[in-house]
């Protein structure tokens, strides 16, 4: 059995800041998640046309800003003017898209931890992985607990590994694949983040024996959370910051 890597992260992680209670990947969402007691957050990071690392999940702008086009095709000067909150509710109208640097300032000032999902615009996997890793290393330089980088895109994780080997990485999986442990090992991962339905006693044991921490997304029901706790997994990413106490 391989030794598990040191783990300095809490079990409960707020998805995109505060799940669905505030506009995802905005500073308003991270503030709300913190108000519910969460000390660690998950976010999505991609590159603007001019190389600024900013927060957004989708490749296209339509769902969360109401604008046409692809986010990664726009310069930061244009992206920074968009309304990323009005789609959610009138309360958050005018909330801007944040840069990773802005979120880092918030986390570092309050001693919060972060899982940065590398979410490349299609066709930019390696470029985005390397840029996110370098920016994270710069922003968190000298801190005790660095952000955890994760991605569904192996090429993005490989580029992050090559750019900044010291940052911890996690392979994201949505569906089963036969080579999951070998792929995670080749990418130098310390953890595997699965769709929560993929974890059972055998897969948890296999990951643990191979030396990987086990995390799950997106867990929004009591029964699912309890099953993962009973399995002894290390991290639970949830939208339901109003339902689950991170102190549990």
């Amino acid at each position: 059995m391989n030794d598990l890597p040191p783990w300095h992260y809490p079990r409960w992680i707020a998805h995109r800041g505060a799940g669905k209670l505030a506009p995802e990947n905005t500073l308003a969402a991270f503030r709300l998640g913190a108000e519910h007691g969460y000390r660690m957050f998950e976010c999505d990071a991609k590159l603007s046309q001019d190389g600024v690392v900013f927060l957004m999940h989708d490749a296209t702008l339509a769902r969360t800003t109401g604008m046409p086009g692809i986010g990664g095709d726009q310069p930061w000067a244009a992206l920074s003017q968009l309304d990323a909150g009005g789609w959610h509710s009138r309360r958050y109208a005018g909330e801007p898209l944040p840069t990773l640097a802005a979120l880092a300032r918030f986390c570092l000032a309050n001693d919060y931890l972060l899982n940065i999902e590398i979410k490349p615009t299609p066709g930019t996997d390696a470029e985005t992985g390397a840029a996110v890793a370098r920016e994270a290393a710069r922003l968190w330089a000298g801190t005790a607990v660095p952000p955890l980088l994760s991605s569904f895109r192996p090429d993005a994780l490989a580029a992050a590994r090559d750019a900044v080997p010291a940052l911890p990485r996690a392979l994201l999986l949505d569906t089963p694949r036969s080579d999951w442990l070998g792929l995670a090992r080749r990418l130098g991962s310390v953890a595997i983040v699965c769709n929560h339905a993929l974890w059972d006693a055998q897969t948890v044991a296999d990951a643990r024996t191979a030396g990987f921490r086990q995390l799950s997304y997106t867990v929004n029901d009591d029964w699912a959370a309890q099953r993962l706790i009973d399995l002894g997994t290390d991290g639970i990413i949830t939208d339901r910051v109003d339902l689950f106490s991170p102190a549990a």
Side-chain angles (χ1 to χ4, degrees), residues 23-24 56 58-71 74 78-79 81-88 94-95 97:
E24 63 187 58
M56 177 176 275
D58 298 2
T60 57
L61 294 165
R63 181 175 65 88
T64 56
T65 72
M67 299 299 289
I70 295 172
Q74 301 296 317
L79 293 167
Q81 300 303 308
L82 299 179
D83 177 359
W87 69 274
H88 181 276
E95 188 70 24
L97 291 170

Side-chain angles (χ1 to χ4, degrees), residues 207-224:
R208 191 172 290 145
T209 298
F212 299 113
R213 298 285 182 166
Q214 316 95 47
L215 289 79
S216 300
Y217 73 90
T218 304
V219 182
N220 295 330
D221 299 296
D222 281 315
W223 65 266

Side-chain angles (χ1 to χ4, degrees), residues 47-51 118 120 123-134 155-156 159:
L47 281 180
S48 69
Q49 182 271 331
D50 50 348
I118 303 167
T124 69
D125 287 15
E127 177 187 3
T128 304
V132 170
R134 291 191 187 103
D155 287 348

Side-chain angles (χ1 to χ4, degrees), residues 105-128:
R105 287 192 293 271
F106 172 75
C107 290
L108 292 170
N110 293 285
D111 199 26
Y112 297 143
L113 303 175
L114 194 63
N115 166 206
I116 305 171
E117 181 183 340
I118 303 167
K119 204 76 174 176
T121 300
T124 69
D125 287 15
E127 177 187 3
T128 304

